[in-house]
């Protein structure tokens, strides 16, 4: 005992106790630091700093020992609170959408079981109207297709401050929409930049407004007999593909077609728009039972603006025809100049005619522009033929005259030689008669050239008069002739 209580043993025991106390303090500090760090991290992940303090104060006031002691339970409670707030953020609109979708069947029309047709109101808002092609007989159109119908399965209680429910495009696939398609469509596509360009609003009474932006190329049967002074009727036909009139009936809105205020066409002008009911009855189905399908059509009455063709086709061709008349003022013997001018105008007129009809379809009937080009080509060709006729006649007359002159000169020389053998007192009257023959032949040549000049002078008057008469008849006829008297345009 005395050994254990010695001073050295006492100092050793006291140092050990101090070390243990210090170790416990460090362990406690480390544990508290770990808890504090873990709580800060959990709070930052699950909620914003503004909500973290109040949330922890609420949990501390509840006296939840697990919350203050166990980090796992802290995270669990915080996630529950987050999910609760998410449900609260949905609000009454989301609950109304979830309610109507839970009992809605998107595979059948609203009154399918009752055998009552659903009336679908259609409206077109024209965004652009362009690319009218005569060669392919079609045109391009971009529209907002708007449809409206009543579906009692989508009714809901009116919410305060909410007049309609606006659905996201991802939700629209869960709502039934009419199976409308365009019967004269060649190519079409929905716009999906940057999201699908679709809109759907649901009103408390079950009224559904559906709109989609569509670009399409539609066929348009054209009659080009009066081209380029023609007027065309291009239509848009919409029909139900799978549902007969027992289930779906399309009808036009009170304001069926709306055009953009600054909408303009490059070569046509809007004259009128007509709405037509084109409900079809199809025979020869698989069941051999005729089916009647609802169809509506809008017809666009378009009048071509021919100012472009006046400047690019008619005026140049008139100038080419006038240029061919210059040969009438050239001398008959200026053969190279007149041939070059005639060939140049014929070839130019042929090229002009080919360019004017390059973008037109190969139809079997004659168009107005074909008549014009054919007559212009005829006039320049006639001018070339006139020079050929005049030149040939002048050359034949000249050749005939030269032959006679040569024969006369040979006979004259023979007579002169024979006269030398006669007496000096012989009469010289025959010599005088023979010497006068070349003069008469020269006068014939002059008369032949005068005839050619008279023909040129006559052509200078005849060709312009005939071409002017043709122009008067052409413009009056095609400007006043109505291809279809049943089509009348109202003034814009």
């Amino acid at each position: 005992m005395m050994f254990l209580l010695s001073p050295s043993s006492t100092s050793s025991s006291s140092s050990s106790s101090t070390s243990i106390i210090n170790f416990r303090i460090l362990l406690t500090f480390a544990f508290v630091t770990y808890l504090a760090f873990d709580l800060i991290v959990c709070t930052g992940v699950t909620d914003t700093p503004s909500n973290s303090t109040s949330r922890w104060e609420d949990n501390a006031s509840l006296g939840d020992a697990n919350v203050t002691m166990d980090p796992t339970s802290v995270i669990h409670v915080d996630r529950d609170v987050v999910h609760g707030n998410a449900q609260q953020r949905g609000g009454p609109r989301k609950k109304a959408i979830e309610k109507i979708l839970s009992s809605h069947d998107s595979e059948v029309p609203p009154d399918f079981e009752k055998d009552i047709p659903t009336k679908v109101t259609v409206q077109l808002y024209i965004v652009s109207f362009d690319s009218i092609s005569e060669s392919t007989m079609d045109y391009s159109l971009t529209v907002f297709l708007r449809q409206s119908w009543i579906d009692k399965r989508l009714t809901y209680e009116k919410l305060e401050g909410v007049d309609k429910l606006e659905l996201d495009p991802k939700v629209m696939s869960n709502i039934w929409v009419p199976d409308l398609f365009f019967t004269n469509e060649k190519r079409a596509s929905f716009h999906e930049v940057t999201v699908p360009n679709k809109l759907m609003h649901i009103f408390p009474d079950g009224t559904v407004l559906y709109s989609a932006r569509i670009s399409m190329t539609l066929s348009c049967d054209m009659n080009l007999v009066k081209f380029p002074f023609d007027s065309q009727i291009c239509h848009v036909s919409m029909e139900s593909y799978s549902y007969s009139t027992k289930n779906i009936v399309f009808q036009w809105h009170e304001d069926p077609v709306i055009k953009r205020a600054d909408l303009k066409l490059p070569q046509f002008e809007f004259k009128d728009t007509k709405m037509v009911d084109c409900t079809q009855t199809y025979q020869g189905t698989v069941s051999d039972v005729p089916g009647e399908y609802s169809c509506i059509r809008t017809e666009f009455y378009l009048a071509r603006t021919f100012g472009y063709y006046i400047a690019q086709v008619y005026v140049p061709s008139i100038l080419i025809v006038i240029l061919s008349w210059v040969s009438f003022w050239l001398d008959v013997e200026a053969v190279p100049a007149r041939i070059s001018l005639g060939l140049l105008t014929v070839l130019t007129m042929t090229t002009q005619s080919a360019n004017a009809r390059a973008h037109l379809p190969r139809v079997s009937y004659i168009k107005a522009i074909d008549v014009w080009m054919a007559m212009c080509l005829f006039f320049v060709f006639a001018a070339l033929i006139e020079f050929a006729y005049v030149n040939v006649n002048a050359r034949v007359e000249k050749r005939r005259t030269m032959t006679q002159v040569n024969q006369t000169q040979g006979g004259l020389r023979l007579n002169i030689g024979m006269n030398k053998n006669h007496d000096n007192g012989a009469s010289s009257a025959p010599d005088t008669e023979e010497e006068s023959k070349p003069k008469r032949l020269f006068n014939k040549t002059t008369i032949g050239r005068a005839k050619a000049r008279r023909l040129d002078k006559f052509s200078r008057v005849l060709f312009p008069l005939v071409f002017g008469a043709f122009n008067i008849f052409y413009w009056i006829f095609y400007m006043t002739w109505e291809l279809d008297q049943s089509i009348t345009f109202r003034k814009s």
Side-chain angles (χ1 to χ4, degrees), residues 57-300:
E57 290 177 354
D58 293 341
N59 290 334
S61 64
L62 293 174
D64 192 348
N66 293 330
V67 173
T68 58
M69 298 293 291
D70 189 2
T72 305
S73 63
V74 172
I75 297 175
H76 178 70
V77 171
D78 190 71
R79 287 177 179 174
D80 290 342
V81 174
V82 170
H83 289 304
N85 287 343
Q87 293 178 357
Q88 185 177 2
R89 283 197 299 268
R93 302 189 187 189
K94 184 177 180 181
K95 292 180 180 179
I97 294 175
E98 292 177 350
K99 181 179 179 180
I100 60 178
L101 291 180
S102 62
S103 59
H104 181 75
D105 188 359
S106 61
E107 298 179 356
V108 294
D111 298 319
F112 184 75
E113 298 296 338
K114 300 178 181 179
D115 204 17
I116 300 175
T118 301
K119 294 183 179 180
V120 181
T121 303
V122 181
Q123 184 187 59
L124 291 178
Y125 181 90
I126 301 177
V127 180
S128 65
F129 197 119
D130 46 25
S131 300
I132 302 177
S133 175
E134 292 82 9
S135 59
T136 56
M137 290 196 177
D138 56 27
Y139 67 102
S140 298
L141 196 66
T142 300
V143 299
F144 291 148
L145 175 62
R146 299 169 178 174
Q147 304 177 69
S148 178
W149 65 94
I150 297 177
D151 192 344
K152 294 298 182 180
R153 298 171 298 178
L154 300 176
T155 57
Y156 60 92
E157 295 182 0
K158 188 174 182 180
L159 305 176
E160 184 178 357
V162 179
D163 57 348
K164 59 181 177 296
L165 296 177
E166 300 177 354
L167 271 61
D168 188 84
K170 298 177 183 178
V171 185
M172 295 179 189
S173 59
N174 299 321
I175 304 296
W176 178 87
V177 295
D179 61 336
L180 180 145
F181 79 103
F182 298 90
T183 58
N184 60 326
E185 171 257 326
K186 289 185 175 181
R187 296 176 299 275
S189 62
F190 288 99
H191 290 255
E192 296 185 355
V193 179
T194 59
V195 295
N197 295 175
K198 296 181 180 180
L199 174 148
M200 181 175 285
H201 293 168
I202 301 178
F203 294 84
D205 61 348
T207 301
V208 181
L209 173 62
Y210 176 71
S211 176
R213 185 185 178 196
I214 306 174
S215 290
M216 51 191 169
T217 301
L218 305 172
S219 63
C220 178
D221 298 332
M222 301 182 185
N223 192 334
L224 302 174
V225 172
K226 291 184 60 179
F227 180 88
F229 312 107
D230 57 329
S231 300
Q232 303 297 337
I233 303 177
C234 294
H235 67 279
V236 180
S237 296
M238 292 165 284
E239 186 177 336
S240 175
Y241 194 87
S242 58
Y243 293 107
S244 63
T245 53
K246 296 180 179 180
N247 294 294
I248 291 181
V249 174
F250 290 112
Q251 60 185 11
W252 283 111
H253 188 267
E254 295 178 357
D255 194 3
V257 178
I258 302 175
K259 298 186 290 290
R260 200 182 71 237
D262 56 345
L263 181 63
K264 293 183 179 180
L265 280 67
Q267 293 188 22
F268 286 88
E269 180 183 357
F270 275 106
K271 288 297 183 181
D272 196 6
T273 304
K274 186 178 180 181
M275 308 304 150
V276 180
D277 183 6
C278 56
T279 300
Q280 299 284 339
T281 301
Y282 294 96
Q283 301 286 345
T285 58
V286 177
S287 60
D288 292 332
V289 177
E292 190 177 35
Y293 294 84
S294 180
C295 173
I296 55 176
R297 181 172 69 238
T298 176
E299 296 178 347
F300 302 109

Side-chain angles (χ1 to χ4, degrees), residues 3 10 27 32 52 104 157 187 223 269 276 360 393 402 442 462 464:
F3 177 76
T10 304
L27 183 61
V32 172
S52 60
H104 181 75
E157 295 182 0
R187 296 176 299 275
N223 192 334
E269 180 183 357
V276 180
L360 297 177
N393 284 340
M402 293 302 297
F442 179 78
L462 178 64

Side-chain angles (χ1 to χ4, degrees), residues 310-363:
I310 295 294
Q312 299 296 326
V313 176
Y314 286 91
V315 172
S317 58
I318 291 174
L319 296 178
I320 294 172
V321 172
I322 295 175
L323 181 62
S324 67
W325 300 339
V326 176
S327 63
F328 302 149
W329 274 264
L330 298 179
D331 189 67
V332 178
E333 296 182 354
V335 176
R338 296 188 69 166
I339 288 180
S340 300
L341 185 61
L343 292 177
L344 176 64
T345 53
V346 170
L347 294 177
T348 305
M349 200 66 242
T350 304
T351 305
Q352 184 81 359
S353 176
N355 293 335
R357 294 175 292 185
H359 301 289
L360 297 177
R362 294 179 175 87
V363 294

